[in-house]
Amino acid sequence: MSLIDLKKSSVSKAKKKKVTADEFIADAENYAAGKTSVVSSAKTNLDQPIMTKETDWPKNQLKKCKSTKRHATFTLSEDAIVQLNLLSKESQLAKSHIIRILVNECCHEKNWLYYLNQKLIN
Amino acid sequence: MMILVGGEKGGSGKSCLAQNLAVYFTRDKNAIVLMVDCDPQRTTSDWIQARNTDPTLPAINCIQLYGKIRNDLLSLNQHYDYVIIDCGGQDNLALRAAMSVADHVVIPLRPKRRDLKTVPHMEDMLSTCKMVNPKLLASFLIAQCPALPSQLKRINEAKEVCSSYGINVLNAVTYNRNIYDDSEEQGLSVLELDPEGKAALEMTAIAEELMAMTPDDSYEFN
């Protein structure tokens, strides 16, 4: 079997975040723990809508990219559905994308459980 | 000069390469060499122990260091002509610390899919490291190649895969030879066991290719 399909498929260079030597070294522990690593270029930035057209993707990447997300079903209240529709209309983002942003923000809170409880109280 | 032999893949011949480079610089360049064994498997430390039982062999010092070893390495580098670091097959604190101060990093990979799949992460790591260590020269080495002529295509493909990530790939390769194992058992290098043999020529070619590289001072790989 040929090894050629392992060649780098994209030549675009994402700008690396500046790090100090100590940060670079300590980051090995993030990598070992499966957390987001400063050296990783495969990080998804959920703050920016992804507008790439599928037709722009290389054929061999299309299948892979499609598999990075999957369908999930949740139960929402009528109010939440109306609010989500409104948010989607005003931001021009897909509803799923808005949910991903909110989940991501919540997870970046240091004490995410406390953060969620505070939201429930308010 | 500090030379790191590392990578994320186990069993690709890192310790073997580090040991043979250490003997090359000691024997052929009359240099004072220190080996730093960062691999908890202690392959290099055991090899040095076997070597020290034969007083006719030129002595090579070896120490074991783990964790955040950046300052230790900078200090040791002042007392030796060559510091050769053997890091085990995983991305850990010692590998990154050594990478942040090394002049050369050599990453041996077999021409196998499982080895080549580590290249994207190594490229991410190396390009980030360049920001903190602009003098770093990084090279992939295609190691333990099958000797059958029909497998030449596979070796060239492996080189092509590594090159596509913008990191240098050494022209020299190593082939799967029993002499590498036989020499290690006795605390020897292939340069000592069979100085005129093919394996000795492979190791000499690698060392000479590394030494012929132009020093770098850039924050990115070209």
Tab-separated table of all heavy atoms in Angstrom, chain A residues 30 79 81 83 99 104 107 114:
chain	number	residue	atom	x	y	z
A	30	ASN	N	-0.282	19.072	28.861
A	30	ASN	CA	-1.618	19.225	28.255
A	30	ASN	C	-1.820	18.171	27.188
A	30	ASN	O	-2.867	17.544	27.096
A	30	ASN	CB	-1.765	20.606	27.597
A	30	ASN	CG	-1.796	21.711	28.617
A	30	ASN	OD1	-2.222	21.502	29.742
A	30	ASN	ND2	-1.345	22.893	28.234
A	79	ASP	N	-40.035	28.086	24.708
A	79	ASP	CA	-39.358	29.394	24.836
A	79	ASP	C	-37.935	29.316	24.278
A	79	ASP	O	-37.493	30.209	23.554
A	79	ASP	CB	-39.282	29.793	26.324
A	79	ASP	CG	-40.628	30.303	26.820
A	79	ASP	OD1	-41.525	30.479	25.964
A	79	ASP	OD2	-40.759	30.506	28.038
A	81	ILE	N	-36.779	27.299	22.093
A	81	ILE	CA	-36.810	27.157	20.626
A	81	ILE	C	-37.007	28.524	19.972
A	81	ILE	O	-36.309	28.876	19.010
A	81	ILE	CB	-37.923	26.162	20.195
A	81	ILE	CG1	-37.565	24.741	20.671
A	81	ILE	CG2	-38.131	26.173	18.686
A	81	ILE	CD1	-38.684	23.730	20.543
A	83	GLN	N	-36.307	31.452	21.293
A	83	GLN	CA	-35.101	32.265	21.531
A	83	GLN	C	-33.952	31.840	20.611
A	83	GLN	O	-33.232	32.679	20.074
A	83	GLN	CB	-34.672	32.134	23.004
A	83	GLN	CG	-35.574	32.926	23.931
A	83	GLN	CD	-35.334	32.589	25.395
A	83	GLN	OE1	-34.957	31.468	25.726
A	83	GLN	NE2	-35.573	33.558	26.261
A	99	ILE	N	-25.278	26.717	19.529
A	99	ILE	CA	-25.182	25.792	20.674
A	99	ILE	C	-23.723	25.407	20.912
A	99	ILE	O	-23.254	25.379	22.052
A	99	ILE	CB	-26.078	24.542	20.443
A	99	ILE	CG1	-27.547	24.974	20.496
A	99	ILE	CG2	-25.791	23.457	21.471
A	99	ILE	CD1	-28.543	23.921	20.066
A	104	ASN	N	-18.949	25.685	24.232
A	104	ASN	CA	-17.510	25.967	24.277
A	104	ASN	C	-17.187	27.031	25.322
A	104	ASN	O	-16.256	26.892	26.111
A	104	ASN	CB	-17.054	26.416	22.888
A	104	ASN	CG	-15.554	26.589	22.822
A	104	ASN	OD1	-14.827	25.682	23.172
A	104	ASN	ND2	-15.103	27.743	22.408
A	107	CYS	N	-17.486	25.648	28.785
A	107	CYS	CA	-16.375	24.747	29.124
A	107	CYS	C	-15.087	25.505	29.403
A	107	CYS	O	-14.198	24.993	30.072
A	107	CYS	CB	-16.135	23.758	27.998
A	107	CYS	SG	-17.409	22.517	27.956
A	114	TYR	N	-20.005	25.650	38.682
A	114	TYR	CA	-20.445	26.825	39.440
A	114	TYR	C	-21.071	27.839	38.480
A	114	TYR	O	-22.118	28.423	38.744
A	114	TYR	CB	-19.237	27.430	40.165
A	114	TYR	CG	-19.546	28.732	40.875
A	114	TYR	CD1	-20.220	28.730	42.104
A	114	TYR	CD2	-19.168	29.966	40.327
A	114	TYR	CE1	-20.510	29.921	42.747
A	114	TYR	CE2	-19.450	31.145	40.972
A	114	TYR	CZ	-20.127	31.125	42.177
A	114	TYR	OH	-20.411	32.301	42.802
